[in-house]
Amino acid sequence: MWQNLPLFPEQASTLAPRVDALFYFLVAVSLFFGLLIAFLIVYFAVKYRRRPGRERAGTFEENLPLEIFWTAVPLGISMVMFFWGALVYFDYSEPPVGALNIALVGRQWMWKIQHQEGQREIDELHVPVGRPVKLTMTSEDVIHSFFIPAFRIKMDVLPGRYTTTWFQATKAGEYQLFCAEYCGTQHSGMLGRIVVLEPADYQRWLGGGAGGLTMAEAGQNLFQRLGCVTCHRADGTGQGPSLVGLFGRQVKLQGGKSVVADEGYIRESIIDPRAKIVAGYQPVMPLFKGLVSEEGILQLIAYIKSLGQEERTVGK
Ligand code: CUA
């Protein structure tokens, strides 16, 4: 019934009904108290207006039970809001294990998408229904924001680092993608289409990708072409550390600190290797800043992941 009202977009993800329920609760509470207060202002103004024989306000004795009541009730209501909101937020910020991993690069003014299987698309994203999809996102230039109203998700897409978001579509169909961060003259035209397919149709769509390389294979080619392979030998005899089984692992750094090898760490280590030196190695790796595109870095990461990874999700 709300479909034609842009304020109430279709609910097409597992998150959508949960976000809406919380939203309606907040609106209902605000409305109830807003109306109550407005009514009481008018009511008391009339009831206690100045009249002959009632020139002054009466005195009011302290009433402890009343004080406790109107402190405890709002506290209870705000705690409900807090914990309910936190629950929804935690589920939203932590992609489920085993989610389909898709890479996204934003730029003025388009969305570039790479699937692990090798398919690439621009301003369109094909996903299967009923399966969690995790997006690893970055920008080539300025801040953009990835916004799908029907899924109730919105996440900034930032230059120089990765952000992630996830969703699980519940209905096949097409949904609008917006850029929700002003990013230049064509910002309003930075639109896209999310195409949610039945699993069988999705497999067919994947198969139609004209047999290109997978992301990991493309990454492996890059790994050879850029010469990474000369130092990062699989057997660990090179000048750089072996990358086998690196992803998701704790890495010991020079100086005693350690860091989890997630996408952000690997990206930084390619662009600016001197930022974090692995314990026992020399800072001899050249900087690849400007030499690899964001899409190339995502391919390299896919390749490194394919060399084995810790069996757990990496936070943040
Ligand atoms: Cu990209 Cu606004």
Side-chain angles (χ1 to χ4, degrees), residues 44 47-51 53-62:
F44 288 146
K47 181 167 183 194
Y48 298 111
R49 68 188 184 279
R50 187 195 285 185
R51 275 174 291 182
R54 269 234 227 137
E55 291 294 330
R56 282 164 160 260
T59 48
F60 186 76
E61 296 299 318
E62 186 181 305

Side-chain angles (χ1 to χ4, degrees), residues 107-109 111 142-145 179-184 186-188 190:
R107 65 171 292 181
Q108 289 168 322
W109 287 276
W111 305 101
V142 299
I143 301 176
H144 305 277
S145 186
C179 179
E181 181 74 45
Y182 181 69
C183 56
Q186 299 293 314
H187 156 71
S188 61
M190 192 166 166

Side-chain angles (χ1 to χ4, degrees), residues 52-82:
R54 269 234 227 137
E55 291 294 330
R56 282 164 160 260
T59 48
F60 186 76
E61 296 299 318
E62 186 181 305
N63 187 333
L64 188 62
L66 192 60
E67 295 278 354
I68 291 174
F69 174 75
W70 68 37
T71 304
V73 169
L75 178 71
I77 294 174
S78 8
M79 284 298 114
V80 168
M81 288 173 182
F82 174 75

